[in-house]
Amino acid sequence: MLSRTSRTLLSKTTNHRWASTLVVAEPLSKDGSLSAGTQSTVTAAQQLGGDSLTLLVEKMPAQIPEGVSQVLVSGNNGLSEFASSAVQVAASAENYGHIVAPASKFGSTIVPRIAALLSLSPVTDVIEVVSPDTFVRPIYAGNALAKVQASDATKLLSVRPTSFDKTPLVDAGDVAVTELDVPAFDKSEFVSASAGNDDKVDLGSASKVVSGGRGLKSGDNFVLLDALATKLSDCAVGASRAAVDAGMAPNDTQVGQTGKVVAPDLYVAVGISGAIQHLSGMKDSKTIVAINTDPEAPIFSVADYGLQADLFEAVPELTEKL
Amino acid sequence: MKILVGVKRVVDYAVKVRVQNNTVDLKNIKMSLNPFCEIAVEEAVRLKEQKVADEVVAMTIGPKQATETLRTALAMGADRAIHIMTDLRTDYMELQPFAVSQIFQKIVEEEKSDLVLLGKQGIDSDCGQTGPMLAGLLDWPQITFAANIETDGTSMTVERETDSGTETIKIPQLPAVVTCDLRLNEPRYATLPNIMKAKKKKVDTRVAEDMGIDLSPRNQVLEVFEPAPRKEGIMVEDIDSLIDKLKNEAGVIA
């Protein structure tokens, strides 16, 4: 990487505006590796035309995405205010052309605060990079897409991970690592996080998803979907908002406009009617299957293969025959 | 404790919008109180009923018709309202979170609010930015995706949704900004007596353009279009045909 002096000389002689891209990583997985969402964010970042890629992490992972030439380590005290501050510290040392985070709950919580700290207007949930300053983002539950041109000198973005392939990870080797000195935020305290089921296949990155809706009638019946998911392998179990609302499934399994957006190779919607908001969370899946007793259910309008059947018979039969 | 609740008038959640003339056509479309703002109002009113909050002020930014949205909040139990009048589109096309959060900042500072409750996102623009952006401007603690709030009016403990489950955050001393998620509560229906009472509650009107804030969008919407439609699918007869299609046509199972 060029030293600061060489970069200045280069920009003076060639009118080249040296600008790096900063990618803000999500918290590491339990095994200390970077998340799939981070890998997809790096792919989006590489389309932005920056001269180099810097990754900001809480802790140094053993492997980093291909193409990253510098790593900044911030530490993590569990607070979004701290994570936002870390980006502010990074941005004060270097003039980034772009700052990019995944559009997960984590990214969506810090990007707007970073925007306020740096006085930038972010473009969030980007699904396509058209050019270094022009992006496409969904609005109205994805029923409309907006092509947006950002005018800030530094573009602050969050990207939808399912819209970008994952950049492969390589050994960190002797990549330049810098520890950041981030001030503590003492107006909030992290108390605890839920235990979280480590055995669950991650909904955001699974190649297959089986989702249940109100048709399952009770949370106990979700075991039918667990069995199907296990048989399919690399398959996560999701839920519609109606199912989450009724207490049949945990909130972090909700697929939809205001839940998680997924785009697996196979999405099986079981007992889900297909409200607009649910469709917006899964309609980019490669193959969609719907099982529902109601032939008029809107879910059939997006399904590649629809089966009008009683899920309490169809799902066990499918599980058995696979 | 004084609570400021942001409420937004948005396209009703059941409406499927149409793209026309390079924008989303809002003519004659049914508008409603944003579902997540409704949850925020409900939480504020409950805190008042628990005698933890002294006053609930509802605020909206929007056209003349947005007064209806404020009346709904007042009918649910808010004490008074502030209507920031503007004809700019608030569904991302014109007025964007960067300006919206500055408007909120100004009102929060005037009102000396102790707690700002907002919905986690507007279901039109799907941005979810105003909450944390406002907190950043004020240098206040922020909580997004709140699923449970406990407070005595001075400190607050919140359980919030995360990408992998939930976590608990404590704020030893208010003020704070909190955005509300689905599980927080189930909003009440305004009763007829309360709807009538709401008509007498105070609504202060301001003009957004007169607040000394640059309202122009920093992100220019160049084009609005509909996503490419999916290829039409088929109905299958039974599980055997489904498995056959998935294996041999779609190639998604071995």
Side-chain angles (χ1 to χ4, degrees):
Chain A
M1 230 182 90
L2 292 182
S3 69
R4 207 163 271 247
T5 327
S6 311
R7 265 187 264 152
T8 319
L9 200 60
L10 184 65
S11 58
K12 277 180 164 46
T13 52
T14 62
N15 256 346
H16 170 88
R17 197 173 152 268
W18 183 277
S20 311
T21 299
L22 177 68
V23 173
V24 185
E26 287 179 312
L28 301 177
S29 310
K30 287 242 151 68
D31 63 2
S33 61
L34 290 171
S35 70
T38 304
Q39 288 174 266
S40 294
T41 305
V42 169
T43 304
Q46 283 162 341
Q47 296 174 13
L48 296 168
D51 298 291
S52 69
L53 213 53
T54 299
L55 183 69
L56 172 58
V57 290
E58 43 169 344
K59 227 171 29 191
M60 187 64 193
Q63 295 203 302
I64 58 173
E66 215 164 25
V68 166
S69 56
Q70 192 185 6
V71 178
L72 306 175
V73 179
S74 68
N76 175 13
N77 67 358
L79 297 178
S80 64
E81 297 92 335
F82 178 88
S84 310
S85 209
V87 176
Q88 186 184 26
V89 169
S92 66
E94 173 108 23
N95 228 355
Y96 290 105
H98 296 82
I99 300 174
V100 197
S104 55
K105 282 190 158 66
F106 169 79
S108 307
T109 300
I110 63 169
V111 163
R113 191 180 181 96
I114 295 164
L117 298 176
L118 301 179
S119 203
L120 300 172
S121 182
V123 183
T124 54
D125 207 17
V126 168
I127 62 171
E128 189 190 328
V129 174
V130 178
S131 76
D133 73 350
T134 305
F135 315 98
V136 177
R137 69 177 299 271
I139 53 176
Y140 287 100
N143 288 307
L145 300 178
K147 185 186 282 189
V148 176
Q149 185 170 37
S151 62
D152 289 328
T154 299
K155 318 284 185 259
L156 174 60
L157 313 172
S158 73
V159 302
R160 183 177 279 201
T162 53
S163 297
F164 301 90
D165 291 333
K166 299 193 300 227
T167 295
L169 298 175
V170 295
D171 282 334
D174 49 10
V175 70
V177 179
T178 308
E179 271 184 33
L180 296 182
D181 190 9
V182 183
F185 185 81
D186 53 13
K187 297 179 192 171
S188 299
E189 289 163 21
F190 174 85
V191 176
S192 63
S194 64
N197 196 344
D198 289 336
D199 298 330
K200 291 203 296 207
V201 177
D202 176 42
L203 184 55
S205 54
S207 67
K208 305 180 206 66
V209 174
V210 171
S211 276
R214 226 201 297 255
L216 269 289
K217 296 199 169 63
S218 102
D220 295 334
N221 293 330
F222 266 74
V223 297
L224 293 176
L225 303 188
D226 291 332
L228 176 57
T230 306
K231 206 71 187 292
L232 283 169
S233 92
D234 193 32
C235 181
V237 176
S240 69
R241 173 172 159 167
V244 169
D245 235 344
M248 298 196 308
N251 184 284
D252 64 324
T253 63
Q254 186 198 333
V255 171
Q257 174 196 15
T258 61
K260 286 199 165 83
V261 173
V262 300
D265 295 331
L266 174 65
Y267 189 91
V268 184
V270 180
I272 292 177
S273 63
I276 298 167
Q277 292 78 11
H278 186 78
L279 298 188
S280 92
M282 41 66 76
K283 65 185 168 69
D284 290 331
S285 307
K286 295 202 180 52
T287 300
I288 296 173
V289 172
I291 301 174
N292 200 302
T293 49
D294 176 10
E296 304 294 311
I299 191 78
F300 287 120
S301 70
V302 297
D304 296 296
Y305 307 112
L307 177 63
Q308 187 192 345
D310 179 352
L311 68 96
F312 292 104
E313 283 167 20
V315 173
E317 190 187 337
L318 178 60
T319 306
E320 204 216 305
K321 288 182 171 171
L322 277 172
Chain B
M1 176 172 75
K2 277 186 65 172
I3 304 181
L4 181 72
V5 186
V7 298
K8 191 178 183 191
R9 176 176 179 264
V10 299
V11 171
D12 185 80
Y13 78 93
V15 168
K16 183 158 182 223
V17 295
R18 287 267 167 266
V19 176
Q20 207 130 358
N21 299 324
N22 202 30
T23 190
V24 168
D25 185 17
L26 297 180
K27 248 190 338 287
N28 301 320
I29 293 279
K30 178 174 183 209
M31 306 293 278
S32 300
L33 171 56
N34 184 48
F36 296 104
C37 299
E38 201 177 9
I39 292 173
V41 173
E42 175 63 30
E43 196 66 14
V45 171
R46 286 188 191 189
L47 287 172
K48 211 185 84 163
E49 287 169 344
Q50 288 161 29
K51 305 217 189 307
V52 173
D54 306 298
E55 190 190 35
V56 175
V57 181
M59 175 178 138
T60 200
I61 304 170
K64 189 164 35 91
Q65 298 90 325
T67 310
E68 290 159 24
T69 312
L70 288 175
R71 291 288 168 209
T72 305
L74 291 168
M76 285 173 69
D79 297 295
R80 59 183 169 88
I82 299 171
H83 186 167
I84 311 287
M85 204 73 90
T86 181
D87 284 327
L88 291 173
R89 280 181 71 138
T90 50
D91 60 348
Y92 196 73
M93 307 301 182
E94 292 177 321
L95 196 66
Q96 293 175 349
F98 193 72
V100 169
S101 54
Q102 289 177 68
I103 294 174
F104 267 92
Q105 180 187 15
K106 195 158 200 165
I107 299 297
V108 164
E109 285 165 355
E110 285 173 12
E111 289 282 320
K112 299 195 180 17
S113 317
D114 301 299
L115 176 63
V116 180
L117 288 177
L118 302 170
K120 72 170 177 181
Q121 74 193 68
I123 62 169
D124 48 6
S125 55
D126 285 328
C127 282
Q129 297 174 24
T130 301
M133 204 178 278
L134 174 62
L137 290 174
L138 296 166
D139 192 26
W140 283 11
Q142 65 181 37
I143 307 277
T144 55
F145 312 112
N148 185 253
I149 295 175
E150 270 163 35
T151 179
D152 58 4
T154 305
S155 70
M156 173 177 281
T157 301
V158 184
E159 190 199 4
R160 61 179 293 266
E161 316 286 7
T162 65
D163 293 306
S164 52
T166 64
E167 67 184 14
T168 302
I169 305 283
K170 178 160 182 206
I171 295 170
Q173 176 73 58
L174 292 174
V177 177
V178 177
T179 76
C180 304
D181 206 337
L182 189 57
R183 277 198 306 144
L184 185 58
N185 62 50
E186 209 175 297
R188 67 195 65 192
Y189 289 108
T191 62
L192 193 53
N194 284 332
I195 294 171
M196 298 311 291
K197 256 194 266 176
K199 296 193 178 172
K200 297 202 184 81
K201 292 183 179 176
K202 189 156 176 272
V203 178
D204 286 313
T205 304
R206 307 266 292 259
V207 176
E209 284 75 2
D210 294 343
M211 291 179 75
I213 295 165
D214 182 4
L215 304 178
S216 56
R218 291 243 208 131
N219 299 322
Q220 214 203 332
V221 179
L222 302 176
E223 209 188 308
V224 177
F225 51 101
E226 274 179 17
R230 265 188 92 94
K231 200 170 105 254
E232 220 180 293
I234 57 164
M235 294 299 282
V236 295
E237 281 296 305
D238 50 32
I239 291 292
D240 291 322
S241 345
L242 175 62
I243 294 178
D244 173 55
K245 290 287 184 195
L246 291 178
K247 245 184 228 185
N248 303 316
E249 197 172 85
V252 285
I253 56 177

